[in-house]
């Protein structure tokens, strides 16, 4: 009972810290309340039309919460409402937190960004690159240079994801058990399987979304000599006051976990992962730095404010401001579209670059969406998303549970609604 009381108190403390001047008129934060109100109708329509079971939207500017609302159901079968403290699987929105932990070690002098990852993970010493072949026999050539830590942070390492089902390397990942969500393996074992397979491209030459951030999680474990999940909790999650963010949901919080859905061909919602009978109800065998966390809107907003704060939040500094500036800067020679032919991304390709753990808006005109140069963002496969706009001192967090993220254009729609509310 005491644990439940403490859990509620921790959530309240976190909410109080996130509220800032939320009670003030949004006009004081430079936002039009009537225009923000359009988000209400948009959310309600998505739920009423059966496109989403439920969702929440949080808009922050100048340190205050200008808008925070939830609509619909977290669990359709049980009738559980989707609320502002509903827990959701954020999947690839885990990547920025892992990237922050990597950059904390970088600041400590543990490595340089251009160091070969093989310096710490020798299994990556003799990488080869696919040149042709088929599922029974593939051809390859030696990598022309080592994979660097920067390559992993920017998804230019030549690694891939098996779920894309677009290339022979993707298939090799599936056939060889490259799955960081499997119940019977260790992080080191799955990273070892990755290292034994060919790369999709030469390191540094193409942008390919990949398991690179999971490899970075293993790098953190090797460099620190500790379990990756514990390091991330101790050094990033807890200091930022993200009281509901973890790789699993303990029993006392399980009633707040949303069910996860998918849209079938008839456009009806079908259960993808239950809110009770779910792998997230117990600690995973592997803590996936690329996609394993569960979080809430209030918690993830704290992370966004930490980035807007140049590496500090509520008097707690985890990174120097110059390090954060480097993370938010485009690391590519151009946009994603100029780096080969991306097979999948939680963003569009044209006009969008990539920093150290985030996408980076280069040109809203070329991206054909409202935004600011220098805005960073990413999303998760269950249609969650966030974006951080330093130029506007604004952050937006969208949480829902619909797989895949490409099923509906809700991220682009919400971008228009939020940016259209800016009045100064």
């Amino acid at each position: 009972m005491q644990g439940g009381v403490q859990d509620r108190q921790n959530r309240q403390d976190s909410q109080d810290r996130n509220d800032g001047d939320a009670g003030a008129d949004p006009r004081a934060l430079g936002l039009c309340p009537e225009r923000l109100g359009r988000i209400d109708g948009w959310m309600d329509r998505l739920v009423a039309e059966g496109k989403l079971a439920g969702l929440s939207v949080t808009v922050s500017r100048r340190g205050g919460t200008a808008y925070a609302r939830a609509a619909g159901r977290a669990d359709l079968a049980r009738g559980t409402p989707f609320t502002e403290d509903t827990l959701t699987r954020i999947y690839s929105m885990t990547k920025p937190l892992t990237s922050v932990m990597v950059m904390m070690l970088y600041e400590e002098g543990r490595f340089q960004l251009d160091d070969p990852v093989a310096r710490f993970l020798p299994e990556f010493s003799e990488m080869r690159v696919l040149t042709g072949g088929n599922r029974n026999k593939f051809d390859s050539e030696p990598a022309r240079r080592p994979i660097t830590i920067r390559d992993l942070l920017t998804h230019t390492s030549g690694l891939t994801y098996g779920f894309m089902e677009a290339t022979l390397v993707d298939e090799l990942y599936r056939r060889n058990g490259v799955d960081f969500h499997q119940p019977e393996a260790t992080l080191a074992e799955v990273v070892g399987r990755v290292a034994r397979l060919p790369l999709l491209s030469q390191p540094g030459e193409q942008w390919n979304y990949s398991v690179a951030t999971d490899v970075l999680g293993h790098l953190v474990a090797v460099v620190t000599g500790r379990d990756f999940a514990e390091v991330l909790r101790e050094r990033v999650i807890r200091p930022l006051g993200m009281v509901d963010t973890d790789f699993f949901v303990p029993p006392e919080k399980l009633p707040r976990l949303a069910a996860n859905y998918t849209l079938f061909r008839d456009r009806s919602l079908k259960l993808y992962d239950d809110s009770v009978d779910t792998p997230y109800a117990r600690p995973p065998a592997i803590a996936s730095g690329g996609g394993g966390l569960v979080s809430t809107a209030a918690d993830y907003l704290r992370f966004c404010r930490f980035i807007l704060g140049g590496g500090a939040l509520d008097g707690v500094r985890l990174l120097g401001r110059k390090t954060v500036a480097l993370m938010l800067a485009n690391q590519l020679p151009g946009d994603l579209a100029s780096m080969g032919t991306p097979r999948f991304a939680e963003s569009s390709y044209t006009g969008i670059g990539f920093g150290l753990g985030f996408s980076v808006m280069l040109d809203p005109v070329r991206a054909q969406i409202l935004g600011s140069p220098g805005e960073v963002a990413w999303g998760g496969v269950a249609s969650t998303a966030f974006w951080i706009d330093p130029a506007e001192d604004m952050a937006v967090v969208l949480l829902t549970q619909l797989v895949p993220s490409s099923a509906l254009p809700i991220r682009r729609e919400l971008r228009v609604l939020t940016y259209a509310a800016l009045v100064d």
Side-chain angles (χ1 to χ4, degrees), residues 129-140:
V129 180
L130 185 80
T131 58
N134 56 49
R135 67 180 63 188
N136 297 316
K137 184 179 183 300
F138 62 84
D139 301 318
S140 65

Side-chain angles (χ1 to χ4, degrees), residues 178-191:
V178 177
D179 179 2
F180 289 91
H181 295 275
Q182 60 183 286
E184 297 179 0
T186 67
L187 180 57
E189 287 171 347
V190 181
V191 169

Side-chain angles (χ1 to χ4, degrees), residues 25-347:
D25 190 319
R27 290 185 180 87
L29 303 177
L31 291 155
C32 173
E34 290 77 21
R35 285 174 170 259
L36 282 176
R38 296 172 180 174
I39 301 174
D40 292 4
W42 173 78
M43 296 172 73
D44 292 341
R45 284 193 300 275
L46 287 169
V47 172
E49 293 171 3
K51 294 178 178 178
L52 294 176
L55 71 162
S56 71
V57 172
T58 308
V59 180
S60 173
R61 193 170 191 229
R62 298 173 182 167
T65 303
Y67 182 92
R69 182 176 181 258
R73 301 292 179 184
D75 187 313
L76 293 174
R78 297 175 178 88
T80 310
F82 203 109
T83 65
E84 292 174 39
D85 70 347
T86 289
L87 287 155
T88 63
R89 304 154 192 78
I90 60 171
Y91 291 113
S92 288
M93 283 168 58
T94 304
K95 289 179 170 70
L97 277 78
T98 301
S99 300
V100 163
M101 185 64 246
V102 170
M103 297 305 289
M104 290 170 69
L105 296 176
Y106 166 69
E107 283 194 334
E108 293 171 7
R110 304 291 192 99
F111 47 73
Q112 291 298 299
L113 298 181
D114 58 357
D115 280 346
V117 70
R119 174 185 167 194
F120 304 94
L121 308 181
E123 55 267 44
F124 287 93
S125 296
E126 303 292 335
M127 297 305 293
R128 298 186 67 84
V129 180
L130 185 80
T131 58
N134 56 49
R135 67 180 63 188
N136 297 316
K137 184 179 183 300
F138 62 84
D139 301 318
S140 65
E141 64 181 13
R144 289 193 282 271
R145 69 161 177 79
I147 296 171
T148 67
I149 294 171
R150 179 182 173 279
D151 291 332
L152 295 173
L153 285 163
T154 58
H155 294 286
T156 57
S157 62
L159 301 178
T160 186
Y161 264 124
F163 73 78
M164 295 186 196
E165 301 187 8
T167 71
L168 177 56
V169 181
D170 301 347
E171 181 173 340
L172 290 172
Y173 273 40
R174 296 192 299 276
R175 288 171 58 184
N176 288 274
V178 177
D179 179 2
F180 289 91
H181 295 275
Q182 60 183 286
E184 297 179 0
T186 67
L187 180 57
E189 287 171 347
V190 181
V191 169
R193 295 170 191 172
V194 173
R196 290 191 291 271
L197 296 173
L199 299 175
L200 188 61
S201 61
Q202 289 288 343
E205 292 192 358
Q206 294 184 19
W207 190 91
N208 289 296
Y209 198 39
S210 73
V211 299
T213 316
D214 285 293
V215 176
L216 288 171
H218 183 46
L219 174 69
V220 169
V222 170
V223 169
T224 62
R226 299 180 56 202
D227 177 73
F228 166 64
E230 277 306 311
V231 175
L232 194 69
R233 290 185 191 107
E234 180 182 305
R235 300 204 55 187
V236 178
I237 294 172
R238 290 171 186 160
L240 292 181
M242 299 174 71
V243 298
D244 283 324
T245 301
D246 209 328
F247 289 100
F248 74 103
V249 182
E252 67 273 16
K253 296 182 181 182
L254 201 58
R256 291 196 285 129
L257 178 65
N260 200 359
Y261 298 91
T262 189
L263 276 177
F264 271 38
R265 292 180 180 178
D266 64 359
R267 309 305 287 174
S268 64
L269 291 171
K270 305 294 183 183
L271 187 66
Y272 184 85
D273 182 35
D274 191 51
S275 64
V276 176
D277 183 16
T278 171
Y280 286 88
R282 52 193 176 275
I286 299 173
S288 169
L293 287 176
V294 171
S295 191
T296 63
D299 271 14
Y300 212 86
L301 183 61
R302 291 190 63 76
F303 177 75
C304 294
R305 286 179 170 164
F306 156 74
I307 296 296
L308 282 173
L313 179 69
D314 294 340
V316 175
R317 178 166 292 281
L318 302 185
L319 289 173
R321 65 178 181 83
K322 297 296 285 187
T323 303
V324 174
L326 181 64
M327 295 182 72
L328 274 54
N330 182 35
Q331 305 290 311
L332 309 181
D335 60 11
L336 299 185
S338 72
M339 295 285 289
T341 305
R343 294 157 182 83
F344 176 83
E346 296 290 353
S347 73

Side-chain angles (χ1 to χ4, degrees), residues 361 363-365 368-375 387 389 392 415 419:
M361 175 70 78
D363 185 345
V365 174
Q368 298 185 49
I369 192 67
L370 296 178
S372 303
E375 165 211 297
W387 54 94
D389 189 333
E392 296 290 350
R415 278 178 167 273
Y419 275 111

